[in-house]
Amino acid sequence: MHIVGIIPARMEATRFPNKPMAKINGIPMIGHVYLRSKMCSTIDEVYVATCNEEIIDYIESIGGKALMTSDKHERASDRTAEAMLIIEEETGEKIDIIAMIQGDEPMLLPKMLEEAIDALICDEDLMITNLMASIKDRAEHSDPNDVKVVVDKDNYAMYFSREPIPSWKKGNANNHMLKQLGIIFFRRNALVTFNGTEQTPLEIIESVDMLRMLENGISVKMIHSDENIYSVDTEDDLKKVEVAMQGDTLLANYK
């Protein structure tokens, strides 16, 4: 199977402008994400998709591959879909599985990508897999920057929200508090379908892409990761990640 990683990134993020180029231990965040994604043994090639020359220049300076995409995209999935078509046209090869890797996941580990890709390879009925992790405390549970997910007994997503779900009122939510990580895996046709489908009411209300799939009756399989990683949505997150990565074992392989 032809498996490609695409990292959508842009400098104009509302909550944290210029976030992709913010440095963590001396390396721009987008560099961490790119270099760590490249370590995944099941991904054939990794590209950064952006509308910013600064990001393209940096990725090319470290020997990476970057694509210029439209500056009109509002969602990462739309940029990823455009990049997929560009890659296919340039290489003449159709892609089977796309790993959409958000550029604000500098602590990702290659094995996390491998686990979610393996699920798609082993079950041809699966169209989409997402990574999820346990929420550590109530502060994280209430943080609107973290997308919460509720799953069924087979780890298929039932609902996503930026609100704290499930409820704390009964006092037993701890074992069910889960968050979506910024790494989503599509079969090619699923991404094409997603990109060609209009936004849905709950997707707009919650500002969560995957609700478009659930509202259209498409299952989203969640893969649990036990890794203790943090995404970066704010400058405070950046400081926390910089401290957390000081003892990172992968960092020595590319710093």
Side-chain angles (χ1 to χ4, degrees):
M1 300 185 77
H2 186 35
I3 303 171
V4 169
I6 298 175
I7 306 168
R10 65 189 183 101
M11 298 290 278
E12 298 80 12
T14 305
R15 287 171 291 183
F16 189 170
N18 305 322
K19 181 169 68 170
M21 295 301 293
K23 290 189 176 180
I24 301 171
N25 295 313
I27 298 173
M29 180 160 55
I30 192 70
H32 286 286
V33 178
Y34 178 82
L35 293 165
R36 294 162 84 92
S37 298
K38 285 281 289 181
M39 295 179 188
C40 176
S41 62
T42 49
I43 292 180
D44 298 311
E45 190 55 86
V46 178
Y47 298 81
V48 173
T50 184
C51 55
N52 302 109
E53 289 284 358
E54 184 177 354
I55 293 175
I56 287 181
D57 290 344
Y58 168 68
I59 293 297
E60 290 180 347
S61 78
I62 60 172
K65 295 186 177 183
L67 302 168
M68 180 61 74
T69 52
S70 171
D71 61 359
K72 306 299 182 186
H73 295 309
E74 295 183 4
R75 296 193 176 274
S77 49
D78 296 329
R79 191 178 306 282
T80 300
E82 182 192 358
M84 177 192 73
L85 296 176
I86 293 171
I87 294 165
E88 290 184 335
E89 184 176 353
E90 290 183 351
T91 64
E93 186 175 3
K94 198 161 265 191
I95 298 169
D96 295 302
I97 293 174
I98 301 95
M100 184 178 78
I101 305 163
Q102 298 286 8
D104 57 8
E105 295 284 354
M107 296 182 69
L108 72 85
L109 298 175
K111 69 176 183 178
M112 296 167 61
L113 306 180
E114 291 161 5
E115 288 170 358
I117 290 169
D118 285 347
L120 282 170
I121 292 173
C122 293
D123 186 348
E124 62 183 19
D125 292 328
L126 289 181
M127 293 292 106
I128 302 173
T129 58
N130 282 204
L131 286 173
M132 65 178 178
S134 297
I135 290 175
K136 303 168 189 64
D137 52 43
R138 288 193 68 172
E140 191 174 32
H141 192 223
S142 300
D143 188 344
N145 292 319
D146 287 316
V147 174
K148 274 66 71 174
V149 59
V150 173
V151 298
D152 67 14
K153 63 183 179 62
D154 295 315
N155 282 342
Y156 284 93
M158 297 171 66
Y159 197 68
F160 296 87
S161 180
R162 294 184 182 275
E163 301 298 319
I165 56 173
S167 171
W168 273 89
K169 290 182 179 179
K170 299 295 184 181
N172 61 354
N174 298 56
N175 295 331
H176 302 280
M177 293 192 306
L178 300 164
K179 64 179 180 180
Q180 177 194 38
L181 300 180
I183 310 170
I184 301 173
F185 305 80
F186 296 88
R187 290 195 191 277
R188 184 190 188 281
N189 289 344
L191 180 56
V192 170
T193 298
F194 179 87
N195 195 49
T197 305
E198 291 186 2
Q199 285 187 305
T200 51
L202 291 175
E203 175 191 7
I204 295 168
I205 290 169
E206 300 281 7
S207 189
V208 179
D209 290 10
M210 285 296 100
L211 285 170
R212 191 186 311 180
M213 307 309 289
L214 298 189
E215 288 183 83
N216 281 287
I218 299 173
S219 298
V220 177
K221 178 76 171 182
M222 304 301 296
I223 308 298
H224 194 279
S225 172
D226 294 322
E227 300 301 328
N228 189 26
I229 70 169
Y230 304 99
S231 58
V232 176
D233 290 296
T234 66
E235 293 192 46
D236 286 340
D237 292 338
L238 189 77
K239 295 172 185 176
K240 179 169 69 175
V241 166
E242 186 157 37
V243 171
M245 289 185 72
Q246 286 178 359
D248 186 270
T249 55
L250 283 186
L251 186 58
N253 293 328
Y254 60 87
K255 189 171 182 182

